[in-house]
Amino acid sequence: MRIEPFAAEHFPGILELLEEEQWTTLTADPQATLRSLSAPGVVSLVAVEEGRVVGFAQTLTDGVIQAYLCRLLVARPHRGRGAGTKLVQSSLSASGAQRIDLLAAEGTEAFYGSFPHSHAWSGYRLACGSA
Ligand SMILES: CC(C)(COP(=O)(O)OP(=O)(O)OC[C@H]1O[C@@H](n2cnc3c(N)ncnc32)[C@H](O)[C@@H]1OP(=O)(O)O)[C@@H](O)C(=O)NCCC(=O)NCCS
């Protein structure tokens, strides 16, 4: 399993993962999702195994101090084999930042807790319009 920078050729594989997981905000307008993955200040990485995309991570970064991990997904059959850990570690180094903040989805506390971290704040996701 390799971690690679996102390229357009990975997009069909990412879309498949998003559809399987029913992340409908991202499947509703695939072209918008494609723009979001390659927007300025975004580091998008994919986990590839035998030519197939098995996971991806998307991080927003200022490239110096602060980054936000905004999406992380590993295909169900590939979970528990280290892909998520590699994606987070690679995002930390590729972001150029000193730290990454994130909103942890329910059930992911043990996963994120396995990284060196502090846990001083609670998070909010504020909706802009219909998002
Ligand atoms: C969270 C997620 C990315 C983890 O990816 P993964 O490839 O399975 O993670 P890893 O194999 O690197 O797991 C690393 C460690 O975290 C733990 N872990 C991983 N997922 C876990 C979970 N859902 N609950 C509890 N522990 C978990 C494992 O115990 C593992 O430790 P081990 O190696 O000692 O067994 C994956 O489960 C996923 O895509 N979930 C659905 C989407 C999601 O919730 N994304 C996060 C949004 S905030």
Side-chain angles (χ1 to χ4, degrees):
M1 200 262 307
R2 289 197 322 272
I3 305 298
E4 301 177 3
F6 168 73
E9 74 205 41
H10 299 124
F11 190 57
I14 289 181
L15 213 46
E16 228 172 272
L17 294 187
L18 294 171
E19 275 159 7
E20 279 165 13
E21 211 57 32
Q22 300 184 334
W23 283 12
T24 52
T25 307
L26 302 182
T27 55
D29 183 349
Q31 287 311 308
T33 299
L34 178 56
R35 288 202 305 279
S36 144
L37 287 167
S38 42
V42 170
V43 172
S44 297
L45 301 176
V46 291
V48 177
E49 191 165 280
E50 294 175 357
R52 288 180 65 91
V53 173
V54 299
F56 79 101
Q58 182 184 17
T59 304
L60 310 182
T61 180
D62 63 18
V64 189
I65 297 172
Q66 185 68 53
Y68 291 91
L69 180 67
C70 51
R71 286 172 194 126
L72 175 68
L73 180 59
V74 172
R76 284 173 193 263
H78 294 268
R79 289 181 194 166
R81 292 164 48 191
T85 300
K86 280 191 183 161
L87 282 165
V88 171
Q89 286 169 341
S90 302
S91 299
L92 283 161
S93 51
S95 70
Q98 296 173 12
R99 61 197 184 197
I100 291 188
D101 289 349
L102 59 92
L103 288 174
E106 206 178 318
T108 58
E109 293 81 3
F111 172 71
Y112 289 121
S114 68
F115 296 91
H117 69 282
S118 56
H119 193 80
W121 305 273
S122 62
Y124 293 84
R125 172 169 290 170
L126 306 184
C128 304
S130 59

